[in-house]
């Protein structure tokens, strides 16, 4: 006999349903962790989508997932998804996307770009890749074509032609080993010359509305997809050992690389309240199911100096699937969002049944991969004080990694100062990669507070920083290198913000002008 309460009446045991090739597909009895890529290649025999890394790093498996635009709405700002024909369309990695997460959505692959007959014209993105010699072996080409097709659809929907730099960012999640990126970027610019044809979206919104009329999906003992916060809270309280799943951009690798059984899963992606971004009581509030892309855009809109961290945080297919709160809840000591949000004074809104509480982000991490969540409790949102977006505040977020794009940090930092009349009134310095958890540099903060923002003060803070952390040596960086990088990031902060002849940010970027 099941010791858990019955699934709520709003949920139903039924097949996973999504639109594929213009028709509704029903999938029964598939394991909840079966990937979209496995289903495409092994079940649907749609082999245009390739498997390269099986970890969301190479982009050979890039597909587009479309949902009703009204479901992707946020209270503030606009989703970064492509909006067209009443849909919100996002590029994602099929290799780490679990099949039940497609329920109620539509899946578009490279086979959707050209018409069904052999003599059908190519999609403008495909044709441009041919004309500009943007492919050689062709293994990566379907992924590039899908990323470019999304940008092409953005133009068709009224968006401006992307710059070459913007195109480079759009394909940052697609790895090419033989063609080189110049002809691919050429193709990205050329495809905009033909906006007469695009993705096959006619009638798709109506099909998805029909799917949304069905009850929420529940596969007893395996997968639950609540649609309201109340339903989620009840379900979580009843099943405290179930694993919460938002984007699977990290958890997906537990399956593809570690072959782990994830047990019972609760999918957060359909909870409407968790997909909201709003402002209240001087706080920017980002729900637990808001994507990394939308969350970072909301942060950059208020703290523009965080744009570099946004740009370098993974790649579009990962940022359109993973969530900002998921990156926080994961608790990795080398996560890039925790140092920034910790330095900004962020707090988490936690929920257990009908009870909520707030906890400062810096108090959330107890030890390596351990946090302060109680059984049955979950993170509902992250709340960021807006005061630091005002005058007098200096905010920076930086990372150091071996690659510019799509790489895990050796060291990451969130650095926030309030400077008045040349004196540091407040300092909040948080670092990742320097300890078992992301932590603030208490000694360096104390060395700065109340002091004139001079090179002597900087040097005192750097010396204190050496005492704040005892980093480890691993494959990404040695302990000595990490200490040098942390000191260098403090110096970079001083060079950009010193009272006498501060350097512009571009003077401190070695890649400036390289795109």
């Amino acid at each position: 006999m099941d010791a858990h309460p019955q699934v709520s009446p709003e949920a139903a045991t039924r097949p996973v349903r999504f639109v594929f090739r213009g028709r509704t597909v029903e999938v029964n009895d598939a394991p909840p962790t079966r990937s979209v890529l496995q289903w495409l290649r092994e079940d649907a025999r749609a082999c245009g989508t390739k498997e390269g890394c099986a970890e969301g790093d190479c982009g050979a498996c890039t597909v587009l997932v479309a949902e009703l635009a009204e479901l992707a709405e946020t209270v503030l700002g606009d989703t970064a998804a492509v909006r067209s024909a009443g849909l919100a369309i996002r590029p994602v990695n099929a290799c780490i996307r679990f099949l039940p997460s497609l329920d109620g959505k539509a899946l578009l692959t490279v086979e959707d770009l050209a018409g069904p007959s052999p003599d059908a014209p190519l999609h403008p993105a495909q044709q441009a890749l041919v004309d500009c010699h943007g492919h050689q072996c062709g293994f990566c080409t379907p992924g590039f074509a899908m990323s470019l097709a999304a940008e092409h659809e953005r133009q068709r929907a009224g968006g401006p032609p992307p710059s070459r730099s913007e195109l480079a960012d759009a394909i940052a999640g697609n790895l090419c080993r033989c063609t080189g990126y110049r002809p691919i970027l050429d193709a990205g610019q050329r495809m905009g010359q033909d906006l007469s044809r695009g993705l096959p979206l006619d009638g798709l919104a109506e099909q998805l509305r029909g799917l949304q009329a069905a009850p929420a999906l529940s596969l007893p003992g395996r997968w639950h997809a609540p649609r309201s916060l109340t339903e989620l809270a009840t379900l979580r309280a009843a099943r405290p050992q179930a694993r919460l799943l938002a984007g699977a951009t990290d958890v997906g690798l537990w399956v593809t690389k570690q072959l782990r059984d994830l047990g019972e899963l609760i999918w957060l992606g359909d909870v409407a309240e968790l997909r909201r971004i709003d402002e209240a009581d001087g706080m920017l509030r980002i729900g637990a199911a808001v994507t990394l892309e939308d969350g970072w855009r909301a942060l950059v809109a208020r703290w523009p100096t965080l744009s570099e961290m946004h740009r370098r945080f993974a790649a579009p297919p990962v940022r359109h699937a993973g969530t900002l709160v998921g990156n926080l809840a994961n608790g990795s000591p080398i996560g890039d969002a925790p140092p920034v949000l910790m330095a900004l004074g962020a707090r988490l809104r936690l929920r257990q049944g009908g009870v909520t509480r707030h906890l400062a982000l810096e108090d959330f991490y107890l030890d390596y991969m351990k946090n302060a969540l109680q059984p049955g409790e979950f993170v509902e949102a992250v709340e960021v004080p807006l005061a630091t977006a005002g005058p007098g505040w200096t905010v920076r977020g930086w990372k150091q990694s071996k690659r510019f794009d799509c790489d895990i940090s050796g060291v990451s930092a969130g650095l926030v100062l309030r400077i008045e009349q040349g004196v540091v009134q407040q300092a909040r310095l948080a670092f990742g990669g320097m300890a078992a958890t992301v932590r603030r540099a208490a000694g360096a903060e104390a060395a700065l507070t109340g002091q004139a923002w001079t090179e002597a003060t900087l040097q005192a803070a750097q010396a204190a920083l050496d005492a704040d952390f005892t980093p480890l040596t691993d494959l990404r960086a040695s302990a000595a290198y990490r200490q040098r990088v942390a000191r260098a990031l403090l110096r970079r902060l001083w060079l950009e913000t010193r009272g006498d002849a501060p350097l512009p940010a571009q003077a401190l970027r070695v890649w400036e002008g390289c795109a």
Side-chain angles (χ1 to χ4, degrees):
M1 182 174 178
D2 187 359
H4 297 307
Q6 295 298 308
V7 177
S8 102
E10 290 79 17
T13 301
R14 57 171 176 78
V16 178
R17 298 190 182 108
F18 57 94
V19 177
F20 179 68
R21 300 283 185 276
R23 64 183 183 87
T24 298
V25 172
E26 295 191 353
V27 179
N28 288 286
D29 302 324
T33 55
R34 185 165 183 77
S35 73
V36 172
L37 181 62
Q38 289 172 320
W39 181 84
L40 280 172
R41 295 185 61 84
E42 298 172 11
D43 299 351
R45 300 297 180 184
C47 295
T49 306
K50 308 302 183 187
E51 179 174 358
C53 65
E55 59 186 41
D57 204 28
C58 75
C61 68
T62 304
V63 297
L64 301 180
V65 173
E67 65 177 333
L68 290 171
E70 57 259 33
L71 298 181
E73 290 282 0
T74 56
V75 175
L76 290 179
D78 190 12
T79 176
V82 175
R83 288 180 172 273
S84 184
L87 302 166
I89 305 166
R90 297 180 183 271
V92 301
N93 295 298
C95 68
I96 51 174
R97 181 85 180 204
F98 296 150
L99 193 64
S101 71
L102 292 184
D103 189 68
K105 302 174 179 63
L107 174 64
L108 300 169
T109 69
V110 69
E111 289 91 349
D112 288 297
L113 297 189
S117 63
D119 57 349
L122 296 176
H123 184 280
Q126 294 173 307
Q127 189 63 56
L129 285 167
V130 172
D131 294 341
C132 296
H133 309 286
H135 63 98
Q136 288 184 26
C137 81
F139 191 85
C140 68
T141 304
F144 276 103
M146 296 308 293
S147 291
L148 291 176
E151 293 307 305
H152 181 266
E153 195 66 33
R154 194 186 301 275
Q155 290 185 70
R156 291 190 74 242
S163 68
R164 202 168 179 87
S165 178
E166 289 169 337
L167 281 170
D169 287 341
I171 62 172
N174 298 96
L175 176 64
C176 172
R177 287 191 171 96
C178 56
T179 302
Y181 295 93
R182 181 196 53 76
I184 297 172
L185 292 172
D186 291 343
Q189 292 184 302
R190 179 173 296 195
M191 68 182 180
Q193 298 174 6
D194 180 6
L195 299 178
S196 62
R197 294 172 292 117
L199 297 172
L201 305 179
D202 290 346
L204 191 52
E206 288 72 17
Q207 287 178 281
L208 295 187
R209 287 192 180 91
L211 294 183
Q212 286 296 318
L217 179 65
S218 179
L219 309 176
R222 299 188 299 162
W223 180 281
H224 307 280
R227 290 180 178 172
S228 73
L229 185 57
T230 299
E231 184 182 352
L232 168 62
T234 301
L235 189 63
R236 182 59 170 164
R239 291 169 164 80
Q241 300 306 314
R243 189 177 304 280
L244 298 179
L245 185 70
T249 52
D250 183 41
V251 173
L253 276 68
W254 299 0
V255 176
T256 63
K257 297 300 183 181
Q258 301 176 20
L259 307 180
R260 288 169 59 177
D261 181 356
L262 301 185
E264 193 170 18
L265 297 169
I266 299 176
W267 170 249
L268 306 183
D270 293 338
V271 180
E273 296 96 324
L274 299 187
R275 302 186 66 175
R276 297 164 68 95
I277 300 174
D278 53 27
E279 288 183 7
D281 301 323
M283 292 281 187
L284 172 68
R285 185 174 183 274
I286 300 173
V290 172
T291 66
L292 282 161
E293 184 64 35
D294 288 351
W296 273 106
R297 285 184 179 234
L299 291 171
V300 170
R302 292 152 182 85
W303 294 276
T305 51
L306 297 178
S307 60
E308 179 183 321
M309 185 66 94
H310 171 208
R311 181 185 180 193
R312 298 188 61 195
F313 194 111
V318 170
R319 295 199 303 260
H320 279 289
T323 65
L324 186 66
V325 167
N327 187 247
L328 301 178
N330 170 280
S332 169
I334 50 175
D336 288 340
V340 172
L341 292 173
M342 191 179 292
L344 287 171
R347 67 185 189 185
L348 300 177
R349 180 180 174 89
L350 308 179
R351 183 175 180 122
Q352 186 181 48
V355 179
T356 61
R357 66 181 175 119
H358 289 96
L359 185 66
L361 182 58
E362 61 200 75
D363 296 329
F364 182 68
Y365 304 116
L366 304 180
D367 202 345
Y368 178 72
M369 303 301 282
K370 293 182 179 179
N371 60 50
L373 284 175
Q374 300 299 314
E377 193 173 43
F378 61 94
V379 183
E380 183 180 324
V382 60
E383 298 175 347
V384 190
L386 290 166
T388 54
W393 289 90
T394 293
V395 175
R396 297 291 188 276
W398 291 319
K399 65 183 286 183
Q400 179 73 15
S401 57
K402 294 181 178 180
R403 296 195 311 262
F404 178 81
D405 288 314
C406 308
D407 202 4
I408 297 173
S409 295
V411 176
S412 56
L415 309 172
V416 175
L417 302 178
R418 182 169 66 86
I419 303 173
E420 293 181 2
Q421 298 180 341
V423 176
V424 179
Q425 302 296 328
Q426 286 182 254
R428 295 181 63 91
L429 314 176
F431 288 85
M434 299 291 288
T437 65
V438 174
R439 276 182 24 204
R440 287 175 61 184
E445 292 177 357
L448 291 173
T449 305
Q451 302 299 314
W453 190 216
T454 64
E455 186 165 12
T457 299
L458 164 70
Q459 292 171 351
Q462 288 177 313
L465 190 63
D466 288 342
D468 279 326
F469 299 106
T470 306
L472 297 176
T473 294
D474 59 22
L475 292 175
R476 295 187 182 89
S478 68
Y481 178 75
R482 285 186 158 112
Q483 286 181 314
R484 290 177 60 190
V485 167
R487 290 168 64 100
L489 292 178
L490 271 185
R491 177 164 287 276
R492 178 180 176 181
L493 176 67
W494 179 74
L495 289 171
E496 283 193 14
T497 61
R498 62 188 179 184
D500 181 26
L503 294 177
Q506 58 266 29
L508 297 164
R509 296 178 185 150
V510 296
W511 59 86
E512 190 71 25
C514 295

